[in-house]
Amino acid sequence: MRIAIVGAGIAGLSCALRLQDAEHDVTLFDKGRGAGGRMSTRRVETSAGNAAFDHGAQYLTARDPAFVAAIDAWAAAGVVARWPAAGDDAWVGTPGMNAIVKHLADQTQVHWQHQVTALHRSDAGWHVEAARASSLASAAAVDAPVDAVVIAVPAEQAAALLADHDPAMAAKPRPAGPHQAGPRC
C-alpha cells in the first residue's frame, strides 16, 4: 500500500517505520523545517554566543519492554543517554531531544516544509493537498494518490483535516482555556 502520514514527530515517524517494516510505501509530510515536533530543540543567538534548549519534551521514560528495546538501540547509536536526575528510567536525546526524531527521520521519506491543508478522496485514492512553506521545499509525491492517510498531529490541527470526512471526530478537539486541560489524544 501507498500511505501518507501527516506529521513527522515521534508518533508519525514511529508509525512510518512500522509500516515500512511491513513493506508499505510511506511518505511523511510535516510543516516544520526539520525534525522535532513536541521534541524540538531550538537554537538561538545570544550576546554570549549560540545556545540550544529543548522547548518540547525535556526527557522521556521507558518502561514498556518494546520501548526499552527501542531506547537501547538509540543508546547504541548515540542518540540518547540516561538522565539519572529525572529517574532510573529517564532518557534524554543527545545532544538535544530532537536527536531522536532526526534519527528516525533519517530512515524515512519526509517532505519538510509541507503543511497539509486538505485531504481529498477520489476513485484513485486519497490526495494530499499541501502548501509549501518554501520554494526550496521538495515537491515530489504531493499530487500522487495514496491508499491511506495517517494523521499524526495534535488534535487541534487534525480537526481541520478531518472536518470534511468525519465531522463528529473533528468536533471533539477543544482548545484548552487558561484553567482547562487540553484534549486527550
Side-chain angles (χ1 to χ4, degrees):
M1 286 181 72
R2 295 193 66 226
I3 301 169
I5 299 178
V6 181
I10 194 165
L13 290 164
S14 297
C15 179
L17 292 172
R18 291 292 299 263
L19 290 167
Q20 285 178 182
D21 287 347
E23 300 187 9
H24 295 289
D25 180 11
V26 180
T27 302
L28 293 102
F29 298 89
D30 195 280
K31 67 182 180 178
R33 289 180 299 166
R38 295 194 180 210
M39 296 177 73
S40 293
T41 302
R42 297 285 185 240
R43 286 159 185 74
V44 295
E45 288 188 36
T46 70
S47 57
N50 292 330
F53 63 94
D54 293 324
H55 95 83
Q58 303 302 301
Y59 66 93
L60 48 85
T61 56
R63 296 182 185 109
D64 177 80
F67 193 49
V68 169
I71 292 281
D72 288 343
W74 298 342
V79 175
V80 296
R82 287 192 178 275
W83 192 23
D88 294 338
D89 55 0
W91 295 81
V92 294
T94 57
M97 287 301 286
N98 69 345
I100 299 165
V101 286
K102 282 182 176 182
H103 177 73
L104 298 176
D106 286 345
Q107 302 168 59
T108 63
Q109 179 184 3
V110 182
H111 294 286
W112 301 111
Q113 298 184 345
H114 279 71
Q115 182 169 3
V116 174
T117 56
L119 301 170
H120 305 286
R121 183 87 172 132
S122 75
D123 291 340
W126 288 95
H127 299 268
V128 177
E129 184 176 309
R132 293 168 187 88
S134 163
S135 61
L136 301 176
S138 62
V142 174
D143 297 322
V146 295
D147 301 306
V149 178
V150 175
I151 301 175
V153 296
E156 295 85 2
Q157 295 172 33
L161 298 174
L162 292 170
D164 291 340
H165 308 287
D166 191 337
M169 184 179 282
K172 290 184 189 249
R174 301 277 186 253
H179 303 290
Q180 303 173 13
R184 294 177 189 240
C185 303

